[in-house]
Amino acid sequence: NKRLRSNDAYTAGGEAHKRPDYATTVYTKILKKLYPEIPVVIGGIEASLRRVTHYDYWSDKLMPGILHSSGADLLVYGMGEKPLIELLKLIGKGVPFNSLNNIPQTALVQDKDRALPTDKSWQDIEISSHETCLKDKKSYAANFKVIEEESNKWNARRIHQVVEDKRILINPPFPPMKEGELDASFDLP
């Protein structure tokens, strides 16, 4: 019913209306304006749910993937423990950030005509472009089905979607954490 929240669990004192709508996009644009040379990595539920063309309830329209609209450099989706550890290991080894394009459970944007990264043995699947989804509801629905199926496979394919002159790449997820890994994660302070 588009009722505004009366409290906000993520704001001091639970006070509502202290954060902007589309917070990830708003904050990323501010960071990129202040520090254009510093990579921005986004994650969390907002980023995970908006990896590709998605329906926005508040504006009642389809929106492009959040990497395209925010200007962020990398997106970590789902539970981020494994991709963040991998990202930090590679950065610690001195691997340039702009070459970190094959970390599982991450997404990135590249120019549409650039060759796909081929360092992994992933298979690829291209879903309908954002522009096609805007014109055809069935294409959007077919995209949703592919994303859901690939997100729940042991050997998922890398998904890519064209948005204007860019291509969003969604690398397959890591396998689920084992019991010991999960326990270690929850034992952190």
Side-chain angles (χ1 to χ4, degrees):
N1 295 332
K2 295 190 178 180
R3 184 177 63 87
L4 297 176
R5 294 177 190 215
S6 58
N7 61 4
D8 184 345
Y10 299 105
T11 302
E15 204 172 336
H17 316 297
K18 293 293 183 184
R19 289 182 297 128
D21 294 335
Y22 311 103
T24 301
T25 297
V26 170
Y27 293 146
T28 299
K29 285 182 177 187
I30 291 169
L31 287 170
K32 293 306 273 183
K33 185 175 180 179
L34 292 171
Y35 308 102
E37 70 286 351
I38 304 296
V40 174
V41 179
I42 59 175
I45 193 161
E46 182 181 1
S48 295
L49 293 174
R50 296 177 176 163
R51 287 173 278 170
V52 294
T53 299
H54 57 279
Y55 175 72
D56 181 67
Y57 180 75
W58 290 98
S59 64
D60 191 26
K61 64 181 183 178
L62 293 181
M63 304 289 281
I66 195 167
L67 282 168
H68 184 269
S69 56
S70 71
D73 300 284
L74 191 71
L75 182 154
V76 173
Y77 66 91
M79 298 304 289
E81 294 89 345
K82 285 186 171 186
L84 284 174
I85 289 169
E86 183 70 16
L87 175 66
L88 294 172
K89 266 192 228 176
L90 292 169
I91 289 173
K93 290 179 181 177
V95 176
F97 189 88
N98 62 359
S99 67
L100 300 175
N101 51 24
N102 280 325
I103 299 173
Q105 209 165 317
T106 63
L108 60 134
V109 172
Q110 67 177 37
D111 289 335
K112 175 175 77 171
D113 299 325
R114 185 174 162 201
L116 296 174
T118 58
D119 297 345
K120 297 276 185 179
S121 59
W122 295 329
Q123 294 180 346
D124 290 293
I125 182 166
E126 183 167 3
I127 59 177
S128 298
S129 72
H130 175 68
E131 291 74 22
T132 299
C133 290
L134 292 175
K135 297 175 192 167
D136 180 29
K137 291 178 184 179
K138 288 186 178 185
S139 293
Y140 171 71
N143 280 3
F144 186 82
K145 181 181 180 210
V146 169
I147 293 160
E148 286 303 307
E149 287 176 347
E150 296 302 322
S151 295
N152 292 295
K153 285 184 179 177
W154 282 102
N155 292 309
R157 296 176 284 184
R158 178 174 50 195
I159 300 169
H160 44 103
Q161 180 185 41
V162 170
V163 182
E164 295 174 357
D165 62 342
K166 301 291 183 186
R167 180 179 302 278
I168 297 173
L169 297 174
I170 303 172
N171 294 332
F174 272 101
M177 287 195 283
K178 296 183 173 118
E179 183 179 351
E181 293 172 315
L182 194 57
D183 289 345
S185 172
F186 278 90
D187 286 342
L188 293 169

